[in-house]
Amino acid sequence: MPPFVDHMPVTYTLAATATLYAQLFDEQTTAAQFASTTDGGAEAALLYYGANVATSFSTTSAAQSVGDLFTFTIPSSTVNAATTTQYYIVVNDRLNNTKYVCNNPNATATSTCGASPFSFTRLTAASTTRSVSGTIRANGAGL
C-alpha cells in the first residue's frame, strides 16, 4: 500500500520563496523515518519543481515540521514574478511503495506527473488586490 499524502495545491504565493505543505501517513514508515535522509532506508519525500517539469526540474526533500506535517521549500531563484512554477510530489515508503501527487489522480510515474503538474504564480504587490462577491446565508436565508 503506497503512502497517503494530503496536499492542498497552491495557486498563488506572495513570497519570493515558496513553502508548500503536505501531511504524510504510512503503515510501514514513521514520520521520523520520512524526515531522516541518513538512515539508509528507501523512504523519501521529494518535490519536483521548475518552469516546465516535463522537460527539466530540480528536487527538494521534505522537512518535518510537526508530527506528520512536512514542508517543501522552493527557492526564490525559481519563484519568479514573471513565471509560473510547476511542481509535483513523489513519496516512497520503507517498502518502496510509491505515491505520485499531481493533477492526475491516477499517476503512476514521474512522467505522468510531469505531464500533469500542479502550478502556481508569484503575485507582486501591485497584483494582490482581489474582489469577492456573493450572498452570505445562514440556514438558507440571506443575511
Side-chain angles (χ1 to χ4, degrees), residues 132-143:
V132 177
S133 63
T135 303
I136 299 174
R137 297 186 178 275
N139 297 321
L143 299 178

Side-chain angles (χ1 to χ4, degrees), residues 35-48:
S36 175
T37 58
T38 60
D39 65 1
E43 70 279 357
L46 294 174
L47 182 124
Y48 292 69

